[in-house]
């Protein structure tokens, strides 16, 4: 009997301790592409978020509460992403992180909105923040912000009169393709090749041959990271020489690592790069590399920033309130001087879109070299 009483007391104590721990933590849930075609995206985001959580918890957490962050794998499949998000929301998190793929965000965003849980995403498709969802927030520029800058650079700086557009046939690729075609039309740049490719595609020989036949002055390449590396290798193999311009997914560190010297000379507009001449970003890069033994791409910064956005908003509110979080972040400016973990000053608009400095980069000697620092769109 005495043994039974002791065992019951211990069990009760453990249960109470567990409840106390849960009550004393800020519950965050991340649903990311940890396997499948988007593994590079999701793993970098996860690692960046984990690094930020480790730093913040080591300093006492947020408002005295430690962060409890767990991750779930979408396997890069929208249907699985929806199921994982529903599971995460059943746990009633303070904020939901992810997914990174725009197609997955489209099928899960309504779930988080219905639950009135803020969702901080990696997806960049223009339409995501145009759906009127007050709980959706980006960690990087949307296509409606980046494509005008890319098109203008191709027209003004490269003096290109004709262009080939190579895009991946998913929500991310379609959104980028549709947006930049509109910008080219405004500028009078003729699209001589408009080629779709498939996510996970391995062979780009026919695509490059078709592009070569069209004889464009420049090529705009908008694929996922792994496919970007493959097409760069094929372009080099076929000896096609012309300016290659894209966005973050063409010139990210993972692409450079996979493509090797085939990435040399590729250019792109990036909202985030670990090669930016910003001391706070360099400090993050060093900490990430020390922990994970590799240099992160922009997705690593996205995950890191997402956690520090949560910290800054919560500390401004002075309490933990998911609905108030969403209202507070709209129109909010977070300054790096006040929250160094945010890395650069950032402003959120009424749609959940982000505004901050951006960078025009070129790959040289296996790394991104910043050619221009582009200012915030707003004042």
């Amino acid at each position: 009997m005495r043994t039974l009483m002791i065992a019951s007391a211990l069990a009760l104590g453990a249960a109470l301790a567990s409840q106390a721990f849960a009550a004393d933590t800020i519950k965050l849930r991340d649903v990311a592409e940890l396997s499948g075609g988007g593994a590079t995206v999701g793993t970098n985001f996860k690692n960046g978020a984990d690094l930020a959580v480790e730093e913040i918890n080591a300093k006492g957490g947020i408002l005295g509460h430690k962060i409890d962050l767990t991750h779930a794998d979408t396997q890069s499949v929208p249907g699985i992403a929806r199921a994982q998000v529903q599971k995460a929301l059943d746990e009633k998190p303070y904020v939901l992180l992810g997914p990174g793929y725009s197609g997955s965000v489209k099928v899960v965003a309504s779930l988080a909105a219905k639950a009135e849980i803020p969702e901080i995403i990696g997806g960049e498709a223009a339409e995501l923040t145009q759906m009127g969802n007050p709980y959706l927030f980006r960690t990087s520029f949307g296509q409606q912000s980046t494509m005008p800058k890319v098109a203008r650079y191709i027209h003004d700086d490269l003096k290109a009169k004709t262009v080939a557009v190579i895009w991946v046939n998913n929500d991310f690729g379609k959104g980028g393709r549709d947006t930049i075609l509109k910008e080219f039309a405004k500028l009078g740049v003729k699209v001589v090749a408009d080629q779709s490719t498939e996510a996970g595609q391995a062979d780009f020989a026919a695509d490059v041959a078709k592009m070569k036949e069209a004889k464009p002055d420049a090529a705009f390449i908008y694929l996922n990271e792994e496919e970007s590396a493959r097409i760069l290798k094929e372009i080099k193999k076929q000896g096609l020489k012309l300016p290659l311009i894209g966005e973050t997914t063409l010139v990210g560190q993972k692409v450079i690592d996979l493509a090797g010297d085939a990435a040399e000379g590729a250019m792109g507009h990036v909202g985030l790069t670990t090669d930016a001449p910003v001391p706070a970003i360099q400090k993050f890069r060093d900490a990430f590399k020390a922990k994970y033994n590799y240099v992160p791409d922009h997705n690593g910064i996205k995950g890191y920033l997402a956690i520090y956005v949560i910290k800054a908003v919560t500390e401004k509110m002075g309490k933990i309130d998911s609905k108030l979080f969403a209202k507070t972040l709209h129109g909010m400016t977070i300054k790096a001087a006040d929250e160094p973990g945010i890395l650069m000053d950032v402003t959120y608009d009424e749609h959940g879109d982000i505004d901050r400095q951006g960078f025009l980069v070129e790959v040289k000697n296996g790394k991104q070299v910043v050619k221009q620092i582009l200012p915030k769109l707003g004042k």
Side-chain angles (χ1 to χ4, degrees), residues 124 138 140-143 145-146 269 271 354-358:
E124 298 179 5
R138 295 191 194 271
S140 61
F141 297 128
Q143 294 163 341
S145 300
T146 61
H269 169 268
I354 200 167
D355 187 14
R356 62 171 165 239
Q357 287 182 327

Side-chain angles (χ1 to χ4, degrees), residues 38-49:
T40 297
V41 174
T43 301
N44 270 277
F45 189 97
K46 170 190 177 297
N47 289 345

Side-chain angles (χ1 to χ4, degrees), residues 327-355:
K327 292 179 181 178
T328 302
L329 188 49
H330 285 118
M332 182 175 173
T333 294
I334 307 171
K335 292 186 175 293
D338 300 324
E339 177 46 76
I342 211 70
L343 304 181
M344 296 183 292
D345 292 357
V346 59
T347 298
Y348 277 90
D349 70 8
E350 68 276 16
H351 304 295
D353 282 313
I354 200 167
D355 187 14

Side-chain angles (χ1 to χ4, degrees), residues 33 74 76-79 81-82 99-109 171:
E33 297 78 5
T74 73
S76 304
V77 178
R82 185 178 177 87
Y101 269 14
S102 295
S104 293
V105 174
K106 280 181 66 176
V107 302
V108 307
D171 289 288

Side-chain angles (χ1 to χ4, degrees), residues 75-91:
Q75 300 176 41
S76 304
V77 178
I80 296 175
R82 185 178 177 87
Q84 294 286 27
V85 164
Q86 188 57 68
K87 289 180 182 178
L89 293 173
D90 288 344
E91 297 184 56

